[in-house]
Amino acid sequence: DAGVIQSPRHEVTEMGQEVTLRCKPISGHNSLFWYRQTMMRGLELLIYFNNNVPIDDSGMPEDRFSAKMPNASFSTLKIQPSEPRDSAVYFCASSSSGRDNTGELFFGEGSRLTVL
Amino acid sequence: AQSVAQPEDQVNVAEGNPLTVKCTYSVSGNPYLFWYVQYPNRGLQFLLKYITGDNLVKGSYGFEAEFNKSQTSFHLKKPSALVSDSALYFCAVVSGSARQLTFGSGTQLTVLP
């Protein structure tokens, strides 16, 4: 298996522009998580999906952030409009939430976003 | 509610010496405990987990961790550190009906040659 795949790996944009980050979870996994990592705040859970349905989006910082999961193999995290304080590394992770699930997450390599 | 504390932001150890990275947790119910490692510019990688059974858990790259229920701790250990072990280490916990891991703040391990 190729693991969790994220794109782009690096994104540099200007304040006010729309940013879309993409994630393909591991095949067969039915839970998907979006995290943000910064030096100041560490690793923050933004939102997670189970069976393509958003379960908890309490970590989404504000209305400028939105996430979708139109099918089991694809999710997007969108920031519109972007601001310099959104600069961070955004990670996608997936897991299997079946009966034998013990909560282990598999992470992608991350998307490093820089908003100028 | 569940929470994890990693009391040390930074741990330095000489190559060849034993290393310990500390983690304590707070949950209601029985915990599932995890250690992840993050190398520079990479995603988090699973190292090991405790679910049930033997309190000493062995994982990847020679790491092990000991579950101590009375002290609510799950410290990560390695008998002999390597320079290549230098990385950011995260402890995490999930319990009961909670569906997502709660991560600690991370500990930067530096192994000095």
Side-chain angles (χ1 to χ4, degrees):
Chain A
D1 197 314
V4 176
I5 299 173
Q6 292 187 245
S7 65
R9 289 295 312 277
H10 302 274
E11 173 96 6
V12 180
T13 190
E14 293 187 345
M15 183 173 63
Q17 296 299 305
E18 178 179 295
V19 173
T20 299
L21 308 178
R22 297 172 178 80
C23 175
K24 176 177 166 48
I26 291 173
S27 178
H29 283 186
N30 57 353
S31 292
L32 184 141
F33 303 77
W34 282 100
Y35 285 87
R36 178 172 69 176
Q37 185 178 35
T38 61
M39 290 289 291
M40 292 296 294
R41 301 171 70 91
L43 197 62
E44 303 173 275
L45 176 65
L46 300 178
I47 185 171
Y48 83 93
F49 295 83
N50 193 50
N51 294 324
N52 312 338
V53 176
I55 302 300
D56 183 355
D57 65 354
S58 60
M60 296 286 263
E62 43 194 281
D63 291 346
R64 297 184 297 105
F65 285 69
S66 62
K68 294 182 179 179
M69 192 164 186
N71 58 61
S73 59
F74 184 65
S75 177
T76 58
L77 178 67
K78 185 175 293 186
I79 309 172
Q80 166 63 19
S82 59
E83 296 182 3
R85 61 192 167 121
D86 302 331
S87 298
V89 181
Y90 291 81
F91 288 103
C92 178
S94 70
S95 72
S96 171
S97 60
R99 176 185 299 182
D100 296 328
N101 172 49
T102 54
E104 180 179 342
L105 293 181
F106 296 80
F107 282 80
E109 296 289 4
S111 295
R112 181 176 296 276
L113 173 65
T114 303
V115 183
L116 303 174
Chain B
Q2 54 191 35
S3 64
V4 174
Q6 292 183 243
E8 301 157 317
D9 292 335
Q10 175 85 36
V11 170
N12 296 327
V13 63
E15 187 175 28
N17 283 1
L19 70 87
T20 299
V21 182
K22 295 179 181 178
C23 171
T24 58
Y25 65 90
S26 175
V27 297
S28 54
N30 293 322
Y32 295 166
L33 293 154
F34 300 79
W35 276 101
Y36 285 81
V37 60
Q38 185 181 26
Y39 298 101
N41 301 313
R42 303 294 301 276
L44 279 69
Q45 298 176 30
F46 169 78
L47 265 184
L48 53 78
K49 65 183 176 185
Y50 170 82
I51 304 301
T52 187
D54 195 345
N55 289 344
L56 184 64
V57 179
K58 295 187 183 296
S60 308
Y61 312 121
F63 283 92
E64 58 189 28
E66 185 167 11
F67 171 64
N68 188 317
K69 187 173 184 178
S70 63
Q71 297 185 5
T72 61
S73 67
F74 190 58
H75 301 331
L76 182 69
K77 300 182 179 184
K78 187 173 182 180
S80 179
L82 300 173
V83 173
S84 57
D85 293 330
S86 299
L88 186 59
Y89 290 81
F90 289 94
C91 182
V93 67
V94 63
S95 174
S97 62
R99 289 189 165 192
Q100 70 268 32
L101 292 178
T102 296
F103 283 89
S105 55
T107 299
Q108 180 66 49
L109 172 68
T110 300
V111 181
L112 305 168

